[in-house]
Amino acid sequence: MNYNKYAAEPFRIKSVEYVEMTTQKQREERMQQAGYNTFLLDSKDVYIDLLTDSGTNAMSDNQWAGIMHGDEAYAGSRNWYHLEKTVQELFGFKYVVPTHQGRGAENLLSTIAIKPGQYVPGNMYFTTTRYHQEANGGIFRDVIVDAAHDSTANIPFKGNVDLAKLEALIAEVGAEQIAYVCVAITCNLAGGQPVSMQNLREVSALCRKHNILLFMDATRCVENAYFIKEQEAGYEQTSVKDIVREQFSYADGCTMSGKKDCLTNIGGFLCMNDENLFQEAKELVVVFEGMPSYGGMAGRDMEAMARGLQESVQDEYIKYRIEHVRYLGDRLLEAGVPIVEPIGGHAVFLDAHRFCPHLKQNELPAQSLAAHLYIASGVRSMERGIVSAGRDPNTGHEHVPKLETVRLTIPRRVYTYKHLDVVADAVIHLYNNRNQIRGLKWVYEPKRLRFFTGRFELM
């Protein structure tokens, strides 16, 4: 393996946080107490935390300096105006509504844009996004390319929308029955897979032809832009910042979780160009989030987000970010560990079907694999399979996704390459002893977003 091909960290470490090491016996006890759900572990018992990249970023000295400039006025904070201007300049939308995090923006958009019975097509579901859509009477329809459901299909831009599927849905239900099209850049549950600029253009043209709104889940839009720069002809010499701006030129708006590519620990926003939708969103943000000039965030958090956004589009940062994740994936591939290919932007996804072929999907192989990885190593990861997929709200039947994965999510600017070596060694060891992984069964199944708080026991 050529270690020199991966970008070095474009930063120096100024502060460190010490972590505890636990024994395997202690981890067995902790995992049993947590009901074999990695979400229910205490962070103090976790050595390397790859549960999520949401809000787990390390902020820069510039962002921490911005914290001290926090204007905590209830209305009209100067930090809000800085954030608003930054988003408008980088994303190009006219209107910005702040929220406490991404799901706050999803809730606002779903409430103002969906009429009961309307469809919301998207490039694969995401858990909280689909929940808000369905809670407001919407019907999700997956229109991603078929290859996205195949972990072994090593092709670029597996997050693309299948235009034929989208056109077929429009013909089936009528354009007026589609609330909006939702395109995630990148597509999380497909493995952090990007969407090409050409596909965004084509989806935009189709939506405009039928007078359908196009909104993007912009959570990892900078990562998506890097893949376009790296893999799409004509963008090799274009800055990531300019690619980000062009991506959004094809949309009517976006939802954003500031806890990812904004390099902060909390926050989000909703953008749009339509003034009427903006007025509705401003009215509802007061109900659900807070004033339209803070939306659930402190002034200091808005300042950190504005500065983080500016840092995130620096080419040297995002190159390191993508290659840091790719390093872990390459180490696992070299050892024969089955993962989702190609390696995506924010995480490496273990293919639990191929990792645990002795377990049927109703034995929850991804949930069990995540639990056993923690027990073996102290590395916390996340299930992304049948448990996350949940149930159909109308029939109560389980959604059965083709992908059954464990997500090893890399926080930004937190772990070194050596940390990733520890993760790789642990996963490889577990794979070599995979027949010892036992299935799980439900003990407690919540009615909503069950993967967060559900509890299990070994079969």
Side-chain angles (χ1 to χ4, degrees):
M1 187 171 179
N2 180 12
Y3 290 85
N4 293 325
K5 73 176 183 178
Y6 304 97
E9 293 87 347
F11 52 83
R12 292 179 296 200
I13 298 170
K14 282 193 173 184
S15 180
V16 297
E17 175 189 358
Y18 285 99
V19 293
E20 276 187 47
M21 300 292 290
T22 53
T23 66
Q24 182 161 331
K25 186 176 188 304
Q26 288 173 324
R27 293 191 295 270
E28 288 174 354
E29 293 172 355
R30 303 293 191 277
M31 196 75 264
Q32 188 175 15
Q33 292 165 1
Y36 294 90
N37 186 343
T38 54
F39 277 95
L40 302 181
L41 291 167
D42 292 340
S43 67
K44 67 179 178 62
D45 296 322
V46 175
Y47 173 48
I48 298 177
D49 201 342
L50 307 186
L51 183 74
T52 181
D53 62 330
S54 179
T56 56
N57 308 297
M59 293 201 302
S60 68
D61 54 353
N62 179 49
Q63 288 176 287
W64 280 109
I67 290 285
M68 299 307 296
H69 289 272
D71 174 7
E72 306 308 337
Y74 189 81
S77 166
R78 63 176 175 270
N79 306 123
W80 156 241
Y81 294 118
H82 184 200
L83 175 60
E84 179 186 45
K85 181 181 178 182
T86 301
V87 173
Q88 289 170 335
E89 288 178 351
L90 292 179
F91 287 28
F93 294 113
K94 293 181 182 177
Y95 305 113
V96 186
V97 180
T99 59
H100 76 284
Q101 61 181 63
R103 70 192 60 169
E106 292 171 351
N107 180 45
L108 288 178
L109 177 61
S110 299
T111 303
I112 64 179
I114 298 174
K115 297 176 182 176
Q118 285 187 317
Y119 288 79
V120 188
N123 57 338
M124 200 176 285
Y125 83 98
F126 184 68
T127 51
T128 59
T129 312
R130 187 175 68 187
Y131 174 79
H132 287 299
Q133 291 166 353
E134 292 176 344
N136 283 278
I139 303 167
F140 172 78
R141 182 71 67 89
D142 189 1
V143 292
I144 202 169
V145 295
D146 288 340
H149 297 283
D150 180 358
S151 66
T152 65
N154 193 345
I155 60 174
F157 300 113
K158 281 171 65 174
N160 280 359
V161 170
D162 186 320
L163 292 170
K165 290 181 182 179
L166 182 54
E167 287 180 306
L169 178 62
I170 295 171
E172 175 191 344
V173 304
E176 69 283 353
Q177 277 299 103
I178 296 179
Y180 57 91
V181 175
C182 181
V183 178
I185 53 173
T186 59
C187 179
N188 187 346
L189 292 187
Q193 303 298 327
V195 180
S196 72
M197 195 73 83
Q198 180 62 30
N199 189 247
L200 293 178
R201 287 192 204 100
E202 292 170 347
V203 173
S204 179
L206 182 59
C207 287
R208 279 159 174 68
K209 176 183 175 182
H210 293 282
N211 198 29
I212 298 171
L213 293 172
L214 172 59
F215 276 81
M216 294 182 187
D217 178 345
T219 296
R220 298 178 181 89
C221 60
V222 184
E223 293 175 7
N224 199 88
Y226 182 83
F227 283 116
I228 289 173
K229 179 181 178 67
E230 182 185 57
Q231 300 175 20
E232 190 163 357
Y235 288 93
E236 300 89 342
Q237 304 304 317
T238 308
S239 70
V240 167
K241 181 178 180 180
D242 288 343
I243 295 172
V244 168
R245 179 69 179 249
E246 184 181 345
Q247 287 176 147
F248 293 117
S249 71
Y250 302 115
D252 296 292
C254 74
T255 58
M256 183 68 170
S257 170
K259 299 165 69 176
K260 284 85 167 178
D261 272 356
C262 294
L263 302 176
T264 51
N265 306 123
I266 198 66
F269 51 82
L270 170 65
C271 296
M272 69 274 289
N273 288 324
D274 184 275
E275 186 175 2
N276 292 328
L277 282 178
F278 174 57
Q279 291 300 332
E280 288 189 64
K282 277 210 305 183
E283 291 178 13
L284 280 179
V285 78
V286 178
V287 176
F288 293 124
E289 302 282 324
M291 281 289 290
S293 58
Y294 75 89
M297 288 184 283
R300 55 184 175 271
D301 295 321
M302 292 189 285
E303 185 64 30
M305 186 184 294
R307 296 183 184 211
L309 263 173
Q310 293 163 346
E311 293 175 11
S312 72
V313 295
Q314 295 171 355
D315 285 13
E316 60 273 17
Y317 155 74
I318 192 60
K319 174 180 170 62
Y320 153 76
R321 164 65 176 166
I322 296 299
E323 292 189 3
H324 193 228
V325 175
R326 194 171 284 163
Y327 173 82
L328 174 59
D330 285 345
R331 276 219 55 199
L332 296 180
L333 284 173
E334 190 178 57
V337 176
I339 66 172
V340 173
E341 298 182 69
I343 299 160
H346 68 294
V348 175
F349 287 68
L350 305 178
D351 184 344
H353 280 311
R354 290 187 288 149
F355 202 113
C356 304
H358 59 289
L359 297 181
K360 298 176 182 178
Q361 197 162 12
N362 63 4
E363 294 175 303
L364 315 181
Q367 188 74 35
S368 183
L369 176 53
H372 281 82
L373 176 59
Y374 169 76
I375 292 170
S377 64
V379 174
R380 175 157 65 170
S381 58
M382 178 196 295
E383 184 270 359
R384 278 301 183 222
I386 193 170
V387 174
S388 292
R391 295 182 181 273
D392 185 299
N394 297 313
T395 67
H397 295 154
E398 282 195 302
H399 294 295
V400 183
K402 293 181 180 179
L403 290 176
E404 182 77 13
T405 65
V406 170
R407 194 179 77 179
L408 305 173
T409 331
I410 316 299
R412 294 162 184 81
R413 304 187 296 203
V414 172
Y415 293 116
T416 65
Y417 283 100
K418 183 59 181 176
H419 282 110
L420 298 189
D421 281 333
V422 172
V423 175
D425 291 342
V427 173
I428 293 166
H429 175 76
L430 193 60
Y431 182 63
N432 291 335
N433 296 275
R434 57 193 176 277
N435 290 333
Q436 298 177 20
I437 298 174
R438 296 165 58 187
L440 295 173
K441 60 182 179 181
W442 286 97
V443 173
Y444 164 63
E445 181 183 351
K447 294 180 180 179
R448 301 172 185 86
L449 297 172
R450 61 186 187 173
F451 63 93
F452 281 123
T453 57
R455 301 182 72 86
F456 310 87
E457 65 182 12
L458 290 170
M459 297 182 70

